[in-house]
Amino acid sequence: MPRRKLEPEVHDYDVQPGDIVLMCSDGLTEMVSHLEIGGLITGCGYDVVESARPLDRPGQRGGRP
């Protein structure tokens, strides 16, 4: 099987104390808007474990499980 060359998507951000950084590798931001992700995080009292649970089901949004 031939190897595919992957090109990472790289961004620079100014991070401030108290900021939350979400890193994902499954194209999540193509299926869920930044506004919705922010709402999940703030809606769970900034509990990153709880706010990530609904995002851990890519098959529900047409992604690959």
Side-chain angles (χ1 to χ4, degrees):
M1 178 175 246
R3 290 181 169 231
R4 296 185 302 176
K5 184 176 179 181
L6 300 176
E7 294 292 330
E9 186 174 326
V10 179
H11 300 274
D12 291 326
Y13 297 98
D14 291 326
V15 180
Q16 304 297 317
D19 286 353
I20 296 173
V21 178
L22 173 69
M23 295 189 299
C24 56
S25 61
D26 64 352
L28 177 69
T29 56
E30 293 177 9
M31 294 184 278
V32 183
S33 72
H34 293 196
L35 185 62
E36 186 175 0
I37 292 169
L40 288 168
I41 293 170
T42 58
C44 289
Y46 293 87
D47 180 331
V48 294
V49 173
E50 283 303 312
S51 61
R53 289 188 197 285
L55 301 173
D56 193 28
R57 297 177 188 91
Q60 291 181 353
R61 298 180 183 268
R64 289 183 285 165

